[in-house]
Amino acid sequence: SAVCPSINRRQPAESLRRRAVSAGPTRSALMTGRYTYRLGTQAEIVESYVPFGIPLRERFMPEHFQAAGFATAIFGKWHLGFYQRAYTPLHRGFDEHIGYLTGVIDYFNHSRSAAMGNSGGFCCGGHELNAGLDWNRGNLPPCPADTGKYTSPLIEAQAVDFLRRQIRAQKNFFL
C-alpha cells in the first residue's frame, strides 16, 4: 500500500499480520536492564508449560531498590517465570505481589482456562497452573476470595493502598 511502501517492499503484508506482539521481552529487559537475547526472551514469552524463567543470576530492578531501603510492589501480570518459587515476584525483589503469574486470565474468575494454553503446566515446583485459578496474593496458593470481582479494580485498590501506606510512612517506594 502507499502508506508504508518501504515496509511493503521488505516484507509481504500477510506475514506482518500473522505476528503477535508480546510484552514479555520488554518486561524482561525492563526488570533486568539487559538485552533480551542475553536472557533468552527475545522472541518468546514464558509459557506455563515450560520450566523456564529469567535466570536467577540476573538481578531484577526491584532488588536494587530494596537494597537501597525502598518498599517494592507489583500488582497485576508477572509473566517472567513461575515454575519454582525462586522465580516468583517475592523472590525477585518485590515485597508485595497481588495478581497473576501467567500471561492471560479471565478478568472475572481469574482463571486460566485449558483452552487458553497448552497442556501440562508448571508452577512453584510442579503444581499445575495451566488450567484453573491464577490469582495470587504473595506466595500463597491461588486466592479464590476475589473470584467474581473484576481484575482492574482489584489491582487499582491494591496499588492505591500500597501508595497510601508508603506516603503515611514517608518511605520511598518502587511500584
Side-chain angles (χ1 to χ4, degrees), residues 5-175:
S6 296
I7 291 175
N8 292 340
R9 279 192 303 274
R10 291 187 182 115
Q11 194 166 22
E14 184 64 26
S15 65
L16 288 175
R17 280 193 291 265
R18 291 184 187 159
R19 291 192 181 169
V21 175
S22 171
T26 302
R27 186 178 293 110
S28 66
L30 175 68
M31 286 295 169
T32 62
R34 299 191 43 113
Y35 289 114
T36 57
Y37 71 87
R38 292 184 178 269
L39 303 170
T41 60
Q42 69 275 15
E44 299 297 325
I45 55 175
V46 180
E47 292 288 357
S48 63
Y49 59 91
V50 178
F52 173 78
I54 306 303
L56 296 175
R57 70 179 178 277
E58 300 293 342
R59 287 194 64 189
F60 276 30
M61 186 173 17
E63 294 177 86
H64 297 284
F65 281 103
Q66 267 186 337
F70 283 58
T72 60
I74 182 170
F75 304 116
K77 181 180 4 182
W78 173 244
H79 211 203
L80 289 173
F82 44 85
Y83 82 101
Q84 293 177 347
R85 283 208 189 277
Y87 291 88
T88 59
L90 296 187
H91 296 276
R92 301 306 294 257
F94 288 102
D95 299 316
E96 299 181 30
H97 167 248
I98 294 173
Y100 50 111
L101 298 173
T102 61
V104 60
I105 60 168
D106 179 280
Y107 285 138
F108 281 103
N109 66 25
H110 314 296
S111 70
R112 180 176 171 89
S113 158
M116 292 180 186
N118 298 301
S119 61
F122 295 90
C123 177
C124 303
H127 301 293
E128 288 285 330
L129 188 59
N130 190 56
L133 189 62
D134 181 15
W135 187 251
N136 304 274
R137 291 181 174 269
N139 278 335
L140 299 173
C143 176
D146 294 325
T147 300
K149 300 173 186 170
Y150 196 67
T151 299
S152 296
L154 290 171
I155 292 170
E156 175 189 2
Q158 294 302 320
V160 168
D161 177 64
F162 176 81
L163 291 170
R164 286 184 176 149
R165 285 185 284 123
Q166 304 321 309
I167 291 168
R168 270 195 309 271
Q170 296 183 346
K171 186 167 184 174
N172 293 323
F173 60 88
F174 173 73
L175 176 61

